[in-house]
Amino acid sequence: MSVTAPQGFRAAGVVAGLKSSGERDVAVVINDGPSRAAAAVFTSNRVQAAPVKWSRQVVSGGRVRAVVLNSGGANACTGPLGFQDTHATAEKLAAALDDSAGEIVVCSTGLIGERLPMDKLLPAVDAAVAEADRAGGVHAADAIRTTDTVVKIAFRRQDSAQPGGQPPQKTTYTLGGMAKGAGMLAPALATMLVVITTDADLDAAELDKALRSATAVTFDRLDADGCMSTNDTVLLMASGASGVKPDYKDFTRALTEVCADLARQLQRDAEGASKYVTIEVVGAASETDAVTVGKSVARNNLLKCALAGSDPNWGRVLSAVGTTDAVFDPDRLNVAMNGVWVCRAGAPGDDRSKVDLKGKDVTITVDLSAGPHSAIILTTDLTEAYVHENSAYST
Amino acid sequence: MSVTAPQGFRAAGVVAGLKSSGERDVAVVINDGPSRAAAAVFTSNRVQAAPVKWSRQVVSGGRVRAVVLNSGGANACTGPLGFQDTHATAEKLAAALDDSAGEIVVCSTGLIGERLPMDKLLPAVDAAVAEADRAGGVHAADAIRTTDTVVKIAFRRQDSAQPGGQPPQKTTYTLGGMAKGAGMLAPALATMLVVITTDADLDAAELDKALRSATAVTFDRLDADGCMSTNDTVLLMASGASGVKPDYKDFTRALTEVCADLARQLQRDAEGASKYVTIEVVGAASETDAVTVGKSVARNNLLKCALAGSDPNWGRVLSAVGTTDAVFDPDRLNVAMNGVWVCRAGAPGDDRSKVDLKGKDVTITVDLSAGPHSAIILTTDLTEAYVHENSAYST
């Protein structure tokens, strides 16, 4: 399971002492090849953590030997000294693997604006390499948790269709993944660290294209609290150890399923969430319009509070739709909550008392009556527990 | 005080029974002239309540005889029948004043998506006209409250400088105002109803220009929860009863002060707020950049939760700044919380433990180091009380 499910990878999660809780806080995932092809997407926040700046350069080369990840500190807004810390961490892992720091990705998560305790972090890198093995995926996933209450891992075994006329040969490859992220979840990307591994054999350009395609319809459509992180990273590493060169479309489909699985796990563990809310936007003039409307609804604090109270206050959906520049006529908007069309043609439809929001899963459907396009955005409600959890994070 | 402070106006607030609490819920403000010049600004939400659609047409004529306002129902998303209700309300007030419905503004506030009980509303319009007098301003301000805990009124007496060489003459004029708004507060406009009256003598074009100038730097810079209403209206009515034709700049300055006063009152009564937060953005390349950055910070739920807990988590300020397209270099950003520069040049500055956020007033200063422009945005923290209050509004 997790990132060590595919052949060619080993991993570990160890205790460095960065977290005051004494839990695992440093992870490594090592690609033993034969391929080292890799791709990644990073936060679109213009304030970027040191590890993001470093890793962006590394991944631009298309080859990654290993990634080291830490919780207990984001190493963001830490200036030139923070960047030196990231560099030193990469050098440490490179030395332990007798390899080049130029192929080492670094990810950090935790509080912004504090230096990392390097005296604790660097020895832990050595310890993690010493422990790393084919069973270490779950420990690695555990080590990257911050306020995550559960470990988030995914796994998929795929039979690749071969082009016709070939003799029978190996056609099975595997994807594995781990993720962290519970607060500061907003698109492009949701705040999170994700590592996905595969033993399929694809080059860096194919991996990059597949990863951008997959994240655009999964992590980029998760919006728990509208807040965008400085550290978001989704890294995809391919060892090629299965010997299978899958069809690009087939691989992208499998990768998208792994990303969707992890995104759903992030949604279900979002800080303080008591409802898992799916915003379906249909009848849009374009997919962009559908996403814009879905995100506007997903970010409406008043609606999210109403959902926390199981209150079918659909006017708040319309007021959120109305703030967008999507194509629609206000008098042709339809809205359903859990299948009850409470708003038809911009006016009251079925009685709101028919809506049952008591369950944990809520679906809001917005029909823009403007075209054939659609999109789904995942979000959560806004609860007193969310406020409480985030009112004293740094102190 | 309130809207009846200037000469030429009478007002009342009465109980129609729209609110289940039995409190005042219908108000009228009547301009007895001699002038009827008026201007208004409305929500920029594309989903607009029936009274907004109606009143926009009325105000385009530049003359307003009276306004009728109700709480207990927004009359938004109510379709053609809701528009007929607004029309009937205007006709009722026009008949009581023996005047034309084409000069009657209508404002509504409350739950979206429900028809108003016209059998209760229409008789109350007559009752309000019968009661309206020069002392009715505070009752009118009381009648427009929804979740507002206090009445919000403002008053300013202004001595107008006369151009030189004139014989002494009347130079004093008065402005009065009332406002409601406690939730769904976001710019363009903050969710609210505001009526401002004056006995100065200006034409509709001057009033319009002055009102747009004043609201752009006051109500448009208040953002309590990022949610934009379907019903926002700021109406300015001039009776000309003082006989004073003030200098345009002088009048705009006085009007801006009245708007700023009411905006500050809205901030201090925002739903569930425990902190009154001023976001100062300085060093911006343009005023637009300063406003964009200020609003992004003001809408960051994670920061707002931290403020509720008196936690100086300044990394959340930077992560919000980083989501904007304003001109800045991340390595030149400076941030102060209550005067302590916790972030200098994008890296840790003074120790966060020096920041005292225990008081109710918090000032966050963001220095973009990119130019000479600045702006101030008013917001509040995000508390468990906000969530609680908004979790069961419609039920």
Side-chain angles (χ1 to χ4, degrees):
Chain A
M1 291 289 280
S2 186
V3 289
T4 47
Q7 300 172 61
F9 293 94
R10 57 196 156 110
V14 299
V15 177
L18 310 178
K19 281 179 183 166
S20 55
S21 63
E23 294 176 289
R24 289 187 186 86
D25 45 18
V26 170
V28 295
V29 182
I30 301 163
N31 181 355
D32 289 321
S35 171
R36 293 185 183 185
V41 290
F42 298 95
T43 182
S44 57
N45 198 309
R46 291 171 60 201
V47 175
Q48 303 195 340
V52 169
K53 293 177 190 171
W54 170 268
S55 299
R56 200 185 286 279
Q57 287 301 314
V58 168
V59 171
S60 68
R63 289 166 57 89
V64 172
R65 174 68 207 281
V67 53
V68 50
L69 312 94
N70 74 275
S71 52
N75 195 9
C77 306
T78 44
L81 295 175
F83 190 81
Q84 287 176 24
D85 292 342
T86 290
H87 186 180
T89 307
E91 290 285 2
K92 185 76 177 168
L93 179 53
L97 296 172
D98 196 18
D99 218 306
S100 157
E103 296 187 6
I104 302 294
V105 167
V106 181
C107 300
S108 299
T109 181
L111 184 64
I112 298 172
E114 302 278 348
R115 296 276 303 280
L116 290 170
M118 296 303 288
D119 57 324
K120 294 177 179 173
L121 177 55
L122 294 180
V125 172
D126 280 336
V129 172
E131 272 194 27
D133 61 19
R134 301 267 308 132
V138 174
H139 281 180
D142 182 50
I144 61 174
R145 292 191 301 124
T146 52
T147 57
D148 304 70
T149 64
V150 293
V151 163
K152 298 168 181 82
I153 55 180
F155 166 79
R156 180 157 294 272
R157 186 145 287 156
Q158 193 78 358
D159 262 316
S160 185
Q162 292 291 313
Q166 302 276 347
Q169 59 182 49
K170 280 192 296 186
T171 60
T172 303
Y173 64 96
T174 302
L175 292 106
M178 66 179 189
K180 70 82 39 182
M184 214 183 249
L185 282 175
L189 297 168
T191 298
M192 56 190 188
L193 303 179
V194 176
V195 177
I196 299 169
T197 53
T198 182
D199 50 22
D201 186 14
L202 296 102
D203 66 27
E206 290 172 312
L207 293 176
D208 184 70
K209 194 173 159 200
L211 184 61
R212 286 178 197 283
S213 166
T215 56
V217 295
T218 54
F219 297 118
D220 280 353
R221 296 192 181 173
L222 170 68
D223 190 337
D225 60 12
C227 296
M228 192 195 298
S229 152
T230 50
N231 289 58
D232 300 325
T233 302
V234 181
L235 173 66
L236 171 61
M237 299 193 287
S239 69
S242 71
V244 178
K245 288 183 185 291
D247 172 66
Y248 168 76
K249 278 191 186 164
D250 180 73
F251 178 78
T252 302
R253 194 160 48 236
L255 178 65
T256 303
E257 283 170 14
V258 167
C259 291
D261 183 352
L262 291 171
R264 184 70 69 170
Q265 292 180 53
L266 291 169
Q267 178 199 27
R268 296 192 91 83
D269 196 33
E271 285 172 353
S274 73
K275 306 273 188 192
Y276 313 123
V277 184
T278 302
I279 316 281
E280 297 179 333
V281 182
V282 302
S286 68
E287 188 174 348
T288 302
D289 272 9
V291 171
T292 300
V293 167
K295 287 186 181 176
S296 181
V297 174
R299 289 183 178 184
N300 190 277
N301 277 356
L302 285 167
L303 174 66
K304 289 157 82 89
C305 289
L307 295 176
S310 300
D311 180 5
N313 195 335
W314 60 264
R316 293 174 177 175
V317 177
L318 268 79
S319 73
V321 174
T323 63
T324 72
D325 59 2
V327 175
F328 68 86
D329 173 349
D331 293 331
R332 294 187 65 203
L333 292 174
N334 307 304
V335 173
M337 302 182 91
N338 278 353
V340 179
W341 289 93
V342 284
C343 174
R344 285 199 175 91
D350 293 348
D351 196 276
R352 70 178 79 203
S353 66
K354 290 182 184 165
V355 180
D356 180 2
L357 296 177
K358 294 228 167 55
K360 291 186 87 65
D361 286 285
V362 173
T363 299
I364 294 174
T365 311
V366 178
D367 176 6
L368 297 176
S369 303
H373 296 280
S374 64
I376 286 176
I377 301 292
L378 303 180
T379 189
T380 55
D381 56 350
L382 175 55
T383 65
E384 296 174 56
Y386 173 90
V387 175
H388 181 76
E389 184 161 347
N390 284 297
S391 65
Y393 182 73
S394 84
T395 51
Chain B
M1 293 289 281
S2 185
V3 290
T4 47
Q7 299 173 61
F9 292 93
R10 57 195 157 109
V14 300
V15 178
L18 310 179
K19 280 181 186 166
S20 56
S21 63
E23 295 175 288
R24 289 187 185 86
D25 46 19
V26 169
V28 296
V29 182
I30 301 162
N31 180 356
D32 289 322
S35 170
R36 292 186 183 183
V41 289
F42 298 95
T43 182
S44 57
N45 198 309
R46 291 171 60 201
V47 175
Q48 303 195 339
V52 168
K53 293 177 189 169
W54 169 268
S55 298
R56 200 184 286 278
Q57 287 300 314
V58 167
V59 171
S60 69
R63 288 165 56 89
V64 172
R65 175 68 207 284
V67 54
V68 50
L69 312 95
N70 75 273
S71 52
N75 196 8
C77 305
T78 45
L81 295 174
F83 191 81
Q84 288 177 25
D85 292 343
T86 290
H87 187 181
T89 306
E91 290 285 1
K92 185 75 178 169
L93 178 53
L97 296 172
D98 197 18
D99 219 306
S100 159
E103 296 186 7
I104 302 293
V105 167
V106 181
C107 300
S108 299
T109 180
L111 184 64
I112 298 171
E114 301 279 346
R115 296 276 303 279
L116 291 169
M118 297 303 288
D119 57 324
K120 295 178 177 171
L121 176 55
L122 293 180
V125 173
D126 279 337
V129 172
E131 272 194 25
D133 61 19
R134 299 269 307 131
V138 174
H139 281 182
D142 182 50
I144 61 175
R145 291 190 303 123
T146 51
T147 56
D148 305 70
T149 64
V150 294
V151 163
K152 297 167 181 82
I153 55 180
F155 165 80
R156 181 158 293 272
R157 187 145 285 155
Q158 193 78 0
D159 263 316
S160 185
Q162 292 289 312
Q166 302 276 351
Q169 58 182 50
K170 280 193 296 184
T171 61
T172 301
Y173 64 95
T174 301
L175 293 107
M178 67 179 187
K180 71 80 40 183
M184 218 185 246
L185 281 174
L189 298 167
T191 300
M192 56 189 189
L193 303 179
V194 177
V195 177
I196 299 168
T197 54
T198 182
D199 49 21
D201 187 12
L202 296 102
D203 65 27
E206 290 171 314
L207 293 175
D208 184 70
K209 193 173 159 198
L211 184 61
R212 286 177 197 284
S213 166
T215 57
V217 295
T218 55
F219 298 118
D220 279 352
R221 296 194 182 172
L222 171 67
D223 189 338
D225 59 11
C227 297
M228 192 195 298
S229 154
T230 50
N231 289 57
D232 300 324
T233 301
V234 181
L235 174 66
L236 171 62
M237 299 193 287
S239 70
S242 69
V244 178
K245 288 182 184 296
D247 171 65
Y248 168 76
K249 278 191 186 166
D250 181 73
F251 178 77
T252 302
R253 196 161 43 235
L255 178 64
T256 303
E257 284 170 13
V258 168
C259 290
D261 183 352
L262 290 170
R264 183 70 69 171
Q265 291 180 55
L266 291 169
Q267 177 199 28
R268 295 192 91 83
D269 196 32
E271 285 172 353
S274 73
K275 307 274 187 189
Y276 313 124
V277 184
T278 302
I279 316 281
E280 297 178 332
V281 182
V282 302
S286 68
E287 189 173 347
T288 302
D289 272 8
V291 171
T292 299
V293 167
K295 286 185 181 175
S296 180
V297 174
R299 288 182 178 184
N300 190 276
N301 277 356
L302 286 168
L303 174 66
K304 290 156 81 91
C305 289
L307 295 175
S310 300
D311 179 6
N313 196 335
W314 59 265
R316 293 174 177 175
V317 176
L318 267 79
S319 73
V321 174
T323 63
T324 71
D325 60 1
V327 175
F328 69 85
D329 173 348
D331 293 330
R332 294 186 66 203
L333 293 174
N334 307 304
V335 173
M337 302 185 92
N338 278 353
V340 178
W341 289 94
V342 284
C343 174
R344 287 200 174 93
D350 294 348
D351 197 276
R352 69 178 78 203
S353 66
K354 290 184 183 163
V355 179
D356 181 2
L357 296 177
K358 294 229 165 56
K360 290 186 87 65
D361 286 285
V362 172
T363 300
I364 294 174
T365 311
V366 178
D367 176 6
L368 296 176
S369 303
H373 297 279
S374 64
I376 286 175
I377 301 291
L378 303 181
T379 188
T380 55
D381 56 350
L382 175 56
T383 64
E384 297 174 55
Y386 174 90
V387 175
H388 181 76
E389 185 161 344
N390 284 297
S391 66
Y393 182 75
S394 84
T395 51

